[in-house]
Amino acid sequence: MESATKYDPSAVEGKWYQYWLEHGLFKSVPDGREPYTIVIPPPNVTGVLHMGHMLNNTIQDILVRRARMLGKNACWVPGTDHASIATEAKVVAKLASEGIDKSDLTREEFLEHAWDWTRKHGGIILEQLKKLGASCDWNRTCFTMDEKRSQSVQKVFVDLYNKGKIYRGVRMVNWDPKALTALSDEEVIHREQQGKLYYLRYKIDGEDGYAVVATTRPETIMGDTAMCINPNDPKNAHLHGKKVIVPLVNRIIPVIEDDYVDVEFGTGCLKVTPAHDVNDYMLGEKYNLPSIDIFNDDGTISEAGEIYVGMDRFDVREQIVEDLAAAGLLEKEEAYTNKVGFSERTDVPIEPKLSMQWFLKMEEIARPALAAVMDDTIKFYPAKFKNTYRHWMENIKDWCISRQLWWGHRIPAYYLPGGGYVVAETGEAALQLAREKSGNPDLTPADLSQDEDCLDTWFSSWLWPISVFDGINNPDNEDIKYYYPTNDLVTAPEIIFFWVARMIMSGFEYRHKPCFYNVYFTGIVRDKLGRKMSKSLGNSPDPIRLMDKYGADGVRMGMLLSSPAGNDLPFDEALCEQGRHFNNKIWNALRLVKGWAVADGLPQPDSARVAIAWFDARLSAAIEQIDGEMEKYRISEALMTVYKLFWDEFSSWYLEMVKPVYRQPADAVTYGATLAFFEKLTLLLHPFMPFITEEVWQSISERKPGESIMTMRMPEAGNKDTRLVADFEVVKQIVAGVRSVRLERNLPNREALTLHVVSGEHHPGYNAVILKMCNLENIARAEKDAVAATFMVGTAEYAVPLGGAINIGEETGKMEQEIRYLEGFLRSVMNKLGNGKFVANAKPEIVANERKKQADTESKIKTLRESIAKLRSK
């Protein structure tokens, strides 16, 4: 076989990916086989590949390729998410760079720009996934705002509204002053901030004294409508039934009493601002307090604030502290650490704000979704995330599903000219409902105005496992009945609430089944210093550059080498280098084997016959281990098992045992068995390293057009001869012992030696392998020659006669050193066996193992002392 001396991924990977596409090898249609389905976590439509995507999609591809090779009808559905907030922000920024303000555009004009942006930048990430080797059925590519997915969202909204599960109302929401939209609780990241606690003086109405309030937000006093004290707080008893005056604003507000107030915080007096604090809002509802919204949507002070109108909230904080101090109304300031909520998308502090929004009631639809995870109908890997999930689901709040954006699924609610609204999937259906509701048959489409808001992006992606198969619009279609429920979901734990929990809910709501059975949580990709990779730190390598440098297979392997489920991945580019080395190891092994001349009539050597029997048993044991690891989603461990099987057992041992003597041909039986083993190894490796395994598999023997390793069946465990495998571990130690003697004595490999079995058990059935691997003339039982280099394998002693090539002093010195080590080891064993508690409480097999260690060590010490005596008698 003529092949390149060095493996070149750039000459291989693009070639085979195109081959797979041309022959439709990723395509899946329902048939009689068992389906295996994964839906991709849809990346942002305008995003580009980062290291998190690389890890996530590598794992998905491994699962899909393996399922295909297990004979299943594997379907991996790709797609992208419209990402309302992120995409709208990018379009607004792009327009601003061109001198265009969003507020100067109509909704339709803005959406034209957004669609242009999406068409220009959308789909780049999917093309990049192809370079990684992702075996998605690209014919099934979906977009959360394509026609079918949009229809699905509208249909679900209307259905849940008609069931009474969606409602509209004024509630305290998380407001993002930069994105100008409400956020769900899950979109708020709480971070500790070093701030200040300001002690403000509120004059008691009609008296000379003051009530002092401690607050972190003096800029909100313009919205104060009450002061609250704890009725059981003696230090504030003088405020019972009083009124106080808000500093600077001079508004008179009542002092109310409630057990909610923490008497230990600050002074025990709480300013109540119902429009700008969740807890204050609840107090306001309880005591029927007025609510004054002092903020505009962009975080500046509104006219209702009366003072500082138009100023930014944080500028006001600085100014009002100065003004309070000047007025003698600031008692003191203290350093204070508190948790502040930040927008997950724009990274600005959120503002609690009363706002008219749409909500989805969650308590009822969460119930079956919680049960399914807790009873392991849906399994989490690792299982530690079950507790995180349970805590959130048991404390779930209604989901704020409306967003004040234009890019997204517009809420299908239509307002009537005389007040009220109707909810319908289309304008035509809304008009019919509006005519019925109003009793006015003359209403026209122009009389109705559709809600301006869009739905939360997650309101489309929570339907993803169903909507990609059009199971909302056509609940009985062939695809949804065949592919649903899906099998596995691979995702990041940080979106367990945003996405995973909500998909499980939608699955039970609309299919009365789980949407998947297994969830594999990846870790966070970090740099060598343990920092999360990010653009701002500049510590995130470009995945495309990595693949260009190391090949996709090398990068895939590099990422998996240190990525157990749920644990963070300390990524080091050196791991990709290790992956590239492994590629070269595979390639060089192929070149070696295919370079052998083969003679048909040549008899098979005993060494090759024994080696083949051993590797067949070793391969079966490894297959069983890999199957077990994959069943437990221990994907990195499974890769390491195949890696060691190929590198250590196949390349370092098996090929050395069977390769023909220099310039001599191999026999046909051994050659055929070796190619068969090589093929099975490539099959085991294929899900992890698809490109090189296809190249090698195609090279092992002639293939028909359209044939691919992808569609071959995964090898099954056969002869698991555990005794043979264990015996070979002893053979390896014998070979290592002889090689150590050569190394220590500077004996050239070409010089044939003799090996004596001095004492202990030895299996002559493996002599042919030992003779070949060690270049020995013969192996025989013999009395120990005093002038010989000895070594122990277990309790058996071996000797390599050296003639005059031995330094007696040196040799006895080594043996005495070994005796000192063994005596120390024996003392530790005897200490255990001399411990009555250990012997009484340890399992019998553990005690028996310690006694065996004692006997073996005593035997070795005895043998070594005899050897020293014989040498010294020379």
Side-chain angles (χ1 to χ4, degrees):
M1 181 195 76
E2 283 195 20
S3 59
T5 54
K6 195 172 181 182
Y7 179 69
D8 180 8
S10 65
V12 168
E13 294 179 349
K15 171 185 74 175
W16 288 120
Y17 200 87
Q18 191 58 37
Y19 177 88
W20 296 330
L21 288 175
E22 287 172 359
H23 291 92
L25 297 176
F26 304 154
K27 190 175 179 183
S28 175
V29 294
D31 59 24
R33 291 175 293 166
E34 177 188 346
Y36 174 84
T37 317
I38 283 188
V39 293
I40 201 170
N44 289 0
V45 65
T46 58
V48 293
L49 206 60
H50 59 59
M51 296 305 286
H53 293 132
M54 291 282 284
L55 175 61
N56 184 296
N57 287 282
T58 294
I59 291 167
Q60 289 179 82
D61 194 46
I62 289 165
L63 294 172
V64 170
R65 287 179 182 273
R66 180 174 168 81
R68 224 180 255 124
M69 295 175 76
L70 291 172
K72 297 175 185 177
N73 186 353
C75 179
W76 184 11
V77 182
T80 50
D81 189 278
H82 65 281
S84 292
I85 295 176
T87 304
E88 181 148 330
K90 286 181 179 179
V91 175
V92 167
K94 180 246 184 191
L95 291 171
S97 70
E98 297 169 359
I100 302 170
D101 194 292
K102 177 189 171 185
S103 59
D104 295 333
L105 300 174
T106 65
R107 185 188 194 106
E108 290 67 29
E109 288 169 340
F110 177 80
L111 288 176
E112 278 183 32
H113 286 286
W115 277 109
D116 285 345
W117 175 270
T118 300
R119 281 187 283 267
K120 181 178 179 182
H121 298 279
I124 291 173
I125 192 166
L126 297 184
E127 290 303 311
Q128 291 175 325
L129 285 177
K130 293 177 181 179
K131 187 174 178 66
L132 180 66
S135 58
C136 302
D137 184 349
W138 299 107
N139 296 319
R140 292 181 175 273
T141 302
C142 299
F143 175 45
T144 51
M145 273 180 64
D146 65 25
E147 187 177 354
K148 286 183 179 178
R149 265 45 65 181
S150 294
Q151 287 173 357
S152 301
V153 169
Q154 303 292 321
K155 191 179 284 290
V156 164
F157 184 96
V158 173
D159 175 66
L160 291 171
Y161 175 79
N162 290 335
K163 289 174 178 173
K165 294 180 179 179
I166 284 180
Y167 64 92
R168 184 172 182 258
V170 175
R171 297 287 186 278
M172 181 69 69
V173 297
N174 306 298
W175 186 263
D176 183 333
K178 185 174 181 181
L180 302 179
T181 182
L183 304 174
S184 68
D185 290 345
E186 292 72 44
E187 292 169 295
V188 178
I189 310 298
H190 291 276
R191 294 204 291 263
E192 281 198 347
Q193 296 285 297
Q194 299 300 317
K196 288 184 178 178
L197 199 57
Y198 302 91
Y199 288 75
L200 313 184
R201 292 174 175 167
Y202 287 61
K203 189 174 187 307
I204 301 171
D205 186 37
E207 298 182 15
D208 290 335
Y210 290 90
V212 178
V213 168
T215 180
T216 58
R217 302 201 65 195
E219 70 274 14
T220 63
I221 63 171
M222 293 87 79
D224 290 358
T225 56
M227 177 182 287
C228 191
I229 59 173
N230 192 309
N232 304 309
D233 182 5
K235 67 178 180 292
N236 286 313
H238 66 288
L239 294 173
H240 289 314
K242 301 290 177 68
K243 293 183 179 181
V244 295
I245 301 170
V246 179
L248 302 182
V249 182
N250 296 322
R251 180 187 306 121
I252 298 173
I253 58 175
V255 176
I256 62 174
E257 299 177 37
D258 195 278
D259 291 337
Y260 162 73
V261 178
D262 180 0
V263 297
E264 300 299 325
F265 178 79
T267 62
C269 294
L270 176 77
K271 63 189 282 300
V272 182
T273 318
H276 299 294
D277 181 273
V278 174
N279 298 310
D280 291 7
Y281 172 68
M282 290 190 290
L283 285 172
E285 291 280 288
K286 186 174 180 179
Y287 294 99
N288 199 28
L289 299 173
S291 181
I292 305 170
D293 185 351
I294 66 163
F295 287 123
N296 294 314
D297 287 350
D298 62 358
T300 57
I301 304 298
S302 68
E303 295 287 342
E306 300 183 21
I307 53 178
Y308 309 112
V309 175
M311 286 180 66
D312 180 77
R313 55 188 171 150
F314 295 117
D315 294 336
V316 173
R317 182 178 297 178
E318 292 182 13
Q319 185 61 50
I320 202 169
V321 169
E322 289 182 16
D323 294 347
L324 286 164
L329 298 173
L330 177 67
E331 185 157 298
K332 63 177 179 177
E333 299 176 22
E334 289 178 350
Y336 185 70
T337 302
N338 67 329
K339 284 197 170 181
V340 177
F342 284 77
S343 166
E344 189 239 357
R345 290 294 182 188
T346 61
D347 201 37
V348 299
I350 60 103
E351 197 61 59
K353 182 179 173 69
L354 281 174
S355 180
M356 178 67 79
Q357 302 289 342
W358 292 88
F359 296 86
L360 173 58
K361 295 177 183 177
M362 298 297 278
E363 188 176 353
E364 185 183 333
I365 64 172
R367 213 168 286 132
L370 172 59
V373 171
M374 299 320 293
D375 67 16
D376 283 339
T377 300
I378 297 171
K379 291 187 172 71
F380 282 1
Y381 296 90
K384 66 180 181 182
F385 289 109
K386 282 175 69 173
N387 284 333
T388 311
Y389 179 87
R390 177 183 56 77
H391 179 74
W392 184 74
M393 293 289 276
E394 287 178 349
N395 296 279
I396 199 163
K397 296 177 184 175
D398 288 354
W399 177 9
C400 176
I401 56 174
S402 47
R403 297 290 180 271
Q404 288 61 57
L405 301 166
W406 282 350
W407 175 247
H409 299 100
R410 193 171 179 180
I411 290 175
Y414 299 80
Y415 298 97
L416 280 62
Y421 62 87
V422 294
V423 171
E425 292 178 44
T426 63
E428 294 78 9
L431 182 60
Q432 182 62 35
L433 286 175
R435 286 171 176 169
E436 292 170 9
K437 184 170 184 174
S438 65
N440 181 359
D442 298 324
L443 283 178
T444 67
D447 294 323
L448 303 182
S449 58
Q450 188 175 352
D451 196 301
E452 290 290 321
D453 289 351
C454 280
L455 287 161
D456 180 5
T457 298
W458 300 103
F459 195 84
S460 53
S461 50
W462 82 314
L463 305 173
W464 190 246
I466 305 172
S467 66
V468 294
F469 299 114
D470 203 24
I472 298 293
N473 300 317
N474 298 294
D476 295 318
N477 78 75
E478 190 179 2
D479 273 3
I480 192 74
K481 288 194 290 185
Y482 180 76
Y483 291 114
Y484 188 95
T486 68
N487 294 77
D488 297 327
L489 176 75
V490 180
T491 189
E494 54 260 39
I495 56 173
I496 190 171
F497 311 130
F498 285 128
W499 195 44
V500 179
R502 289 169 178 167
M503 281 192 290
I504 296 171
M505 292 180 215
S506 75
F508 283 104
E509 182 72 18
Y510 287 102
R511 300 299 300 179
H512 311 295
K513 292 178 183 177
C515 47
F516 32 68
Y517 290 113
N518 304 290
V519 182
Y520 179 103
F521 290 107
T522 63
I524 296 170
V525 184
R526 298 186 181 276
D527 66 13
K528 288 185 288 186
L529 302 176
R531 300 174 302 175
K532 186 175 179 179
M533 288 189 170
S534 69
K535 287 181 185 176
S536 58
L537 287 175
N539 63 343
S540 183
D542 175 11
I544 302 300
R545 180 191 67 79
L546 287 177
M547 289 190 283
D548 286 341
K549 184 174 181 180
Y550 300 105
D553 286 333
V555 178
R556 285 168 68 119
M557 182 177 175
M559 296 204 74
L560 285 167
L561 282 175
S562 60
S563 178
N567 291 336
D568 290 352
L569 165 65
F571 180 76
D572 184 345
E573 203 167 312
L575 295 169
C576 297
E577 183 68 42
Q578 189 176 343
R580 180 164 65 181
H581 287 330
F582 188 42
N583 273 331
N584 288 329
K585 184 77 171 179
I586 296 167
W587 189 248
N588 289 335
L590 176 71
R591 293 182 68 243
L592 172 71
V593 174
K594 294 294 282 185
W596 293 344
V598 181
D600 287 337
L602 198 65
Q604 184 183 37
D606 285 345
S607 58
R609 178 185 54 76
V610 175
I612 288 167
W614 163 72
F615 192 75
D616 188 45
R618 184 66 190 82
L619 179 63
S620 288
I623 290 169
E624 191 173 71
Q625 185 179 345
I626 293 159
D627 288 346
E629 286 163 343
M630 291 301 294
E631 281 172 17
K632 295 172 185 157
Y633 293 83
R634 298 176 64 178
I635 296 170
S636 295
E637 290 88 340
L639 170 60
M640 187 54 70
T641 300
V642 192
Y643 172 81
K644 288 179 177 176
L645 179 67
F646 191 98
W647 193 293
D648 297 339
E649 310 287 28
F650 183 70
S651 293
S652 299
W653 285 101
Y654 174 79
L655 290 181
E656 289 299 312
M657 293 178 200
V658 301
K659 72 180 181 183
V661 176
Y662 183 60
R663 292 193 173 176
Q664 296 298 311
D667 69 279
V669 175
T670 300
Y671 182 69
T674 302
L675 287 183
F677 287 146
F678 214 136
E679 182 158 338
K680 286 182 179 180
L681 288 166
T682 61
L683 294 173
L684 291 172
L685 268 169
H686 176 72
F688 305 98
M689 305 176 78
F691 293 109
I692 189 167
T693 49
E694 182 75 79
E695 178 77 6
V696 169
W697 184 84
Q698 295 280 353
S699 303
I700 285 173
S701 61
E702 198 170 327
R703 311 293 181 185
K704 296 174 186 173
E707 276 192 314
S708 169
I709 190 172
M710 276 180 55
T711 56
M712 296 297 107
R713 288 302 294 263
M714 190 62 74
E716 295 180 1
N719 167 36
K720 298 187 291 291
D721 189 335
T722 52
R723 177 62 187 271
L724 177 57
V725 172
D727 284 350
F728 245 82
E729 292 307 304
V730 175
V731 169
K732 289 180 186 178
Q733 290 179 57
I734 296 169
V735 171
V738 176
R739 288 176 173 175
S740 292
V741 170
R742 283 191 184 276
L743 190 64
E744 290 167 5
R745 301 294 185 278
N746 284 323
L747 302 175
N749 289 329
R750 64 178 177 276
E751 181 183 325
L753 302 175
T754 296
L755 180 65
H756 287 165
V757 183
V758 177
S759 64
E761 188 180 3
H762 175 78
H763 298 288
Y766 305 115
N767 282 358
V769 170
I770 299 168
L771 286 164
K772 179 174 183 182
M773 295 291 282
C774 299
N775 187 20
L776 300 176
E777 287 179 336
N778 72 317
I779 301 171
R781 280 203 173 268
E783 288 291 321
K784 182 161 55 176
D785 183 345
V787 187
T790 63
F791 59 90
M792 305 287 293
V793 175
T795 56
E797 184 180 14
Y798 293 88
V800 178
L802 298 175
I806 188 169
N807 181 317
I808 292 174
E810 217 174 84
E811 194 66 24
T812 55
K814 287 178 185 175
M815 291 182 188
E816 285 169 344
Q817 187 177 351
E818 176 71 5
I819 287 171
R820 284 193 294 275
Y821 166 78
L822 289 170
E823 285 174 338
F825 178 73
L826 182 60
R827 278 194 296 274
S828 70
V829 172
M830 296 308 293
N831 285 339
K832 274 189 184 178
L833 292 172
N835 183 330
K837 281 188 178 179
F838 170 77
V839 175
N841 298 323
K843 292 180 179 178
E845 59 267 27
I846 293 176
V847 176
N849 188 47
E850 292 300 315
R851 295 199 193 283
K852 184 177 184 302
K853 286 180 187 176
Q854 176 192 353
D856 288 351
T857 307
E858 287 172 345
S859 173
K860 286 181 181 179
I861 292 171
K862 180 174 178 286
T863 301
L864 285 165
R865 282 182 174 149
E866 288 171 355
S867 297
I868 290 171
K870 283 187 179 179
L871 276 173
R872 284 178 175 163
S873 67
K874 291 295 285 182

